[in-house]
Amino acid sequence: MQDRNFDDLADKFAQNIYGTRKGQVRQALLWDELDALLPSLPPGPLTILDAGGGVGQISSGLAERGHKVLLCDLSAEMLKLAEAHAASAGVSHNMQFKQISAQQVGEHLDKPVDLVLFHAVLEWVAEPELVLKALWQTLKPGGILSLMFYNAHGLTFRTLTLGNFGYLRANMTKRKKRTLSPDFPRDPLEVNHWLENCGFEIERRAGIRVFSDYMKPQPGAGKSVEEIIEMERRYCRQEPFLSLGRYIHVTARKPR
């Protein structure tokens, strides 16, 4: 097994992940979580690592607020898109870009950072706990890991609603490997265990798209994206809805 590189699907990735209503909902809920955690970090410009940052929408938004961001990604094509996005947003002066893996990034940092973003990457790496340990090393004491991962329970529920029982009987094994469907959906309890083993303290959790992916017809006839985001915000931190999110976001702190 090896970590996924998106050189072959960079443009499709950017369009399918960010250029859709699903992407708008995901971005809005992610910003809610970031806006909740940022005030608990030191004042002034923060140093931020975006590990596996892809096209860099979130990074560019943080750079626009004056923070200093290092975005790393395995894919040269994704980095080109990220650099172009930063340039179009006028924030290139606050961003750096490096073609390295999340596991290697500590070797390229002059000093630990205040915040690590690790969004929608854990489900693509073959050795997730080792990656989380590497990211732990990049953080200052008191620093925060913003982790979002593809939820195995959400995938199971979605597969059930589609009646795709053969896929479940095959333990949700992908037939085609080079697709945008994540290679390794993650069990939230297992992720929590990995984080605690590293030493992280979990402060906050939220489901990302806890119902809108299950609406019929997709993504809800006559419903505006604003209405959908309003309802997602209402239920995303409540059980049982949180555990049905297609993604789960975790705010985890390295103790001071």
Side-chain angles (χ1 to χ4, degrees), residues 97-168:
F97 304 88
K98 288 187 183 292
Q99 188 182 359
I100 49 176
S101 70
Q103 297 93 320
Q104 298 171 314
V105 73
E107 304 166 15
H108 297 264
L109 290 174
D110 296 327
K111 57 184 180 180
V113 299
D114 298 296
L115 173 64
V116 171
L117 311 180
F118 199 49
H119 296 160
V121 184
L122 196 68
E123 58 269 24
W124 296 104
V125 298
E127 297 181 296
E129 192 167 8
L130 291 180
V131 179
L132 293 175
K133 288 178 179 177
L135 296 177
W136 161 275
Q137 296 296 332
T138 69
L139 275 168
K140 296 176 181 177
I144 288 177
L145 170 66
S146 169
L147 172 67
M148 183 181 74
F149 62 91
Y150 193 68
N151 176 20
H153 299 329
L155 176 60
T156 299
F157 188 66
R158 174 65 174 149
T159 305
L160 285 167
T161 63
L162 292 173
N164 194 353
F165 302 148
Y167 183 48
L168 289 168

Side-chain angles (χ1 to χ4, degrees), residues 29-219:
L29 296 171
L30 262 180
W31 275 112
D32 287 349
E33 295 307 296
L34 289 170
D35 285 336
L37 70 84
L38 287 168
S40 72
L41 290 168
L46 299 171
T47 55
I48 299 172
L49 166 64
D50 192 352
V55 181
Q57 275 90 344
I58 295 291
S59 287
S60 292
L62 290 165
E64 188 174 7
R65 298 185 185 191
H67 303 303
K68 304 296 182 183
V69 183
L70 169 62
L71 187 154
C72 72
D73 203 287
L74 272 179
S75 167
E77 295 303 315
M78 294 298 286
L79 286 175
K80 288 178 186 177
L81 293 174
E83 291 188 57
H85 183 78
S88 68
V91 297
S92 298
H93 60 289
N94 278 337
M95 295 188 69
Q96 292 180 291
F97 304 88
K98 288 187 183 292
Q99 188 182 359
I100 49 176
S101 70
Q103 297 93 320
Q104 298 171 314
V105 73
E107 304 166 15
H108 297 264
L109 290 174
D110 296 327
K111 57 184 180 180
V113 299
D114 298 296
L115 173 64
V116 171
L117 311 180
F118 199 49
H119 296 160
V121 184
L122 196 68
E123 58 269 24
W124 296 104
V125 298
E127 297 181 296
E129 192 167 8
L130 291 180
V131 179
L132 293 175
K133 288 178 179 177
L135 296 177
W136 161 275
Q137 296 296 332
T138 69
L139 275 168
K140 296 176 181 177
I144 288 177
L145 170 66
S146 169
L147 172 67
M148 183 181 74
F149 62 91
Y150 193 68
N151 176 20
H153 299 329
L155 176 60
T156 299
F157 188 66
R158 174 65 174 149
T159 305
L160 285 167
T161 63
L162 292 173
N164 194 353
F165 302 148
Y167 183 48
L168 289 168
R169 293 186 184 109
N171 296 319
M172 297 190 292
T173 302
K174 289 170 60 176
R175 292 181 180 178
K176 296 179 181 180
K177 295 298 182 184
R178 311 300 284 182
T179 71
L180 294 181
S181 177
D183 292 337
F184 310 109
R186 301 302 181 188
D187 182 322
L189 289 178
E190 193 168 28
V191 174
N192 289 350
H193 181 67
W194 294 333
L195 290 169
E196 290 166 358
N197 279 350
C198 290
F200 283 107
E201 296 174 348
I202 297 172
E203 296 187 344
R204 179 181 170 106
R205 297 170 70 247
I208 307 296
R209 304 205 311 260
V210 300
F211 74 86
S212 52
D213 283 18
Y214 311 120
M215 295 174 72
K216 295 289 187 180
Q218 291 283 351

